[in-house]
Amino acid sequence: FIYLFNFKITVGKNGVPVAENFRLEQSSIADTIQAGQVRVKTLYLSVDPYMRCRMNEDTGSDYLKPWQLSEVADGGGVGIVEESKHDNFAKGDFVTSFTWPWQTVAILDGILLQKLVPQLVNGRLSYFLGAAGITGLTALLGIREKGHVAAGANQTMVVSGAAGACGSLAGQIGRLEGCSRVVGIAGTDEKCSILVQEMGFDAAINYKKGDVAKQLRELCPGGVDVYFDNVGGDISDTVISQMNQNSHIILCGQISQYNKDVPYPPPLPPDTEKIQKERNITRERFLVLNYMDKQEASVLQLCQWIQEGKLKVRETVVEGLANIGAAFQSMMNGGNIGKQIVSVSK
């Protein structure tokens, strides 16, 4: 038998996802695989904020399909090949896919898989779901394509959701790309401490304490030139109010809005929109999948930074497939530091 993790119910457009929205089932798997297929054992699975959109019939996006009731959920995964009838893969290869089923063992079409080189991440295979995967690509390409960062330009970057999977990388990459000052916004003192002491942020603001606008003015006396936006809502309105003329918003995520029935990207309040237009602040939807021609070179850059110790990686790891629903719920509530990973098997 293998374990299948099946999506159970939707929570509605304005609902808050909970672990009980998922159920764990035992099921069998075919004894043989067909030509072009690969049988894999799952090692690691990723849970990410975008998955909240897949809990609705209308995901709000043309590139994301909704999870179906009582079908196996899927997302980013890493595993090892147990048997292969695909020319590109052999037993013992490590592989990844963006559409990995939430199962302990799976039979997949080889065309959906990418072979991994563990040495690129010092053997930390789960990094291919985060810092050396889609998450890292989103941070790096978001900054390069939408941030207009230029070395020597004395730019200040602010990152919201800064202790999360993408934000914790974005701040560091902003510095590596040339920003002179990087300020993070997070939800606990512990997260703020990690951002400054471990990840090289100049400062961090706990948005649950004190006056965020006042702290931003003190920490960014020259205003904000680049805003890496992971959260949307009131925090983003506050940051945008302090952005400079001809500055840039990297619209990465809007996690504060995902449980609400609003379009994506959510419209700005009138006063904030007025500021954006008057100051010529760019705010364009960013989708990393539109830049896959730059994937290989960008992943190699990320891996080089990891190997050199220039890119610090944090993970919050939950053990066991049975706990993936709880991991998803915790991640949506900000319970993770860095990338939320589920370790399925060793």
Side-chain angles (χ1 to χ4, degrees), residues 143-333:
I143 289 169
R144 287 184 171 176
E145 299 297 329
K146 299 295 184 181
H148 302 272
V149 173
N154 196 32
Q155 292 166 297
T156 293
M157 172 185 279
V158 171
V159 183
S160 58
C166 198
S168 61
L169 299 173
Q172 297 179 76
I173 292 170
R175 172 83 75 199
L176 289 166
E177 290 290 286
C179 286
S180 60
R181 185 164 183 78
V182 178
V183 175
I185 302 174
T188 69
D189 289 343
E190 179 191 12
K191 290 179 178 180
C192 290
S193 177
I194 288 170
L195 291 174
V196 174
Q197 296 181 14
E198 186 176 315
M199 297 183 174
F201 284 61
D202 292 284
I205 296 169
N206 181 348
Y207 70 87
K208 295 180 181 179
K209 288 185 175 181
D211 186 331
V212 174
K214 180 175 181 291
Q215 293 178 76
L216 267 179
R217 283 192 294 271
E218 293 172 351
L219 294 172
C220 307
V224 178
D225 301 295
V226 184
Y227 174 39
F228 199 99
D229 186 6
N230 286 304
V231 301
D234 293 341
I235 293 295
S236 290
D237 295 340
T238 300
V239 177
I240 293 169
S241 72
Q242 299 189 32
M243 294 187 73
N244 293 324
Q245 194 75 24
N246 301 319
S247 54
H248 305 284
I249 299 169
I250 303 166
L251 192 57
C252 179
Q254 302 280 277
I255 194 170
S256 72
Q257 308 298 301
Y258 286 166
N259 294 328
K260 301 176 182 179
D261 185 9
V262 294
Y264 188 87
L268 297 171
D271 288 348
T272 306
E273 185 178 18
K274 182 180 179 182
I275 291 172
Q276 181 206 350
K277 290 181 178 179
E278 287 178 348
R279 299 181 191 173
N280 192 35
I281 302 170
T282 63
R283 182 181 184 259
E284 301 169 348
R285 184 173 185 174
F286 171 72
L287 179 59
V288 70
L289 298 178
N290 290 337
Y291 301 93
M292 284 298 96
D293 59 317
K294 301 181 180 181
Q295 176 184 7
E296 184 175 355
S298 299
V299 168
L300 289 175
Q301 175 65 86
L302 291 164
C303 290
Q304 180 181 337
W305 283 335
I306 291 169
Q307 291 174 340
E308 294 173 347
K310 294 179 179 178
L311 194 60
K312 308 294 185 182
V313 182
R314 271 273 186 158
E315 292 181 322
T316 298
V317 181
V318 170
E319 300 286 341
L321 184 60
N323 296 314
I324 198 168
F328 178 73
Q329 180 180 354
S330 175
M331 177 271 306
M332 288 297 295
N333 291 327

Side-chain angles (χ1 to χ4, degrees), residues 11 25 29 64 67 76 88 102 105 118 122 137 164 168 181 189 230 252 257 270 280 285 314 327 330 340:
V11 296
E25 293 185 348
I29 196 169
L64 285 179
W67 283 331
N88 292 348
W102 288 6
V105 179
N122 301 322
L137 287 171
S168 61
R181 185 164 183 78
D189 289 343
N230 286 304
C252 179
Q257 308 298 301
N280 192 35
R285 184 173 185 174
R314 271 273 186 158
S330 175
Q340 179 70 66

